C-alpha cells in the first residue's frame, strides 16, 4: 500500500509521524507503538534522529523514507510554531 501511494499518488518521498514509545501510557500502548514503528521500518522508513514533535503534550517522532533528505528541510523543522494551528482552517 505504501509503495502504491509513493508511485501513483505522490511520486515523491514521504515523511511520517509516529507515537513515541517512551511516552506510552502502559505496556499495551508501548507494544502498539513499537509494532507500528517496526512495520514502517520493514517498508524502508527510518526514524529521524534528534527530531520530535510535541503537539499539545503528545510526543511524536518522525520517520522518513530513503528518498527523503532531511538536511534539505532542517530550516523548516527548526522553525518554532508561533501559535497553534486551527484545525478548522484545514477544511
Amino acid at each position: 500500500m505504501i509503495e502504491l501511494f509513493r508511485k501513483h499518488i505522490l511520486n515523491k518521498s514521504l515523511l511520517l509521524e509516529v507515537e513515541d514509545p517512551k511516552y506510552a501510557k502502559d505496556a499495551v500502548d508501548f507494544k502498539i507503538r513499537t509494532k507500528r514503528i517496526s512495520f514502517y521500518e520493514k517498508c524502508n522508513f527510518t526514524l529521524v534522529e534528534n527530531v520530535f514533535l510535541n503537539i499539545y503534550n503528545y510526543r511524536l517522532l518522525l520517520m522518513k523514507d530513503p528518498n527523503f533528505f532531511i538536511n534539505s528541510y532542517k530550516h523548516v523543522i527548526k522553525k518554532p510554531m508561533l501559535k497553534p494551528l486551527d484545525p478548522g482552517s484545514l477544511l
Side-chain angles (χ1 to χ4, degrees):
M1 182 67 132
I2 291 174
E3 277 305 314
L4 181 68
F5 189 72
R6 277 187 189 129
K7 287 181 182 178
H8 299 289
I9 298 176
L10 285 179
N11 197 23
K12 299 193 185 241
S13 59
L14 295 173
L15 185 65
L16 305 173
E17 55 190 38
V18 292
E19 297 91 350
D20 190 338
K22 292 179 189 172
Y23 293 85
K25 294 177 278 189
D26 53 33
V28 173
D29 189 32
F30 179 84
K31 186 175 180 181
I32 291 169
R33 291 173 184 221
T34 53
K35 283 181 80 172
R36 184 172 294 122
I37 290 171
S38 294
F39 168 77
Y40 287 127
E41 287 174 337
K42 289 175 187 169
C43 296
N44 295 322
F45 284 83
T46 56
L47 285 167
V48 178
E49 293 183 27
N50 302 318
V51 176
F52 65 90
L53 304 171
N54 192 10
I55 301 174
Y56 300 108
N57 294 321
Y58 194 75
R59 176 97 171 223
L60 299 167
L61 303 175
L62 293 179
M63 296 189 80
K64 65 179 188 71
D65 74 5
N67 299 320
F68 192 92
F69 297 103
I70 198 74
N71 289 338
S72 303
Y73 294 91
K74 282 192 175 181
H75 66 285
V76 175
I77 292 171
K78 287 183 179 179
K79 272 188 177 178
M81 186 182 240
L82 299 178
K83 61 180 181 175
L85 180 65
D86 174 18
S89 67
L90 300 175
L91 300 176

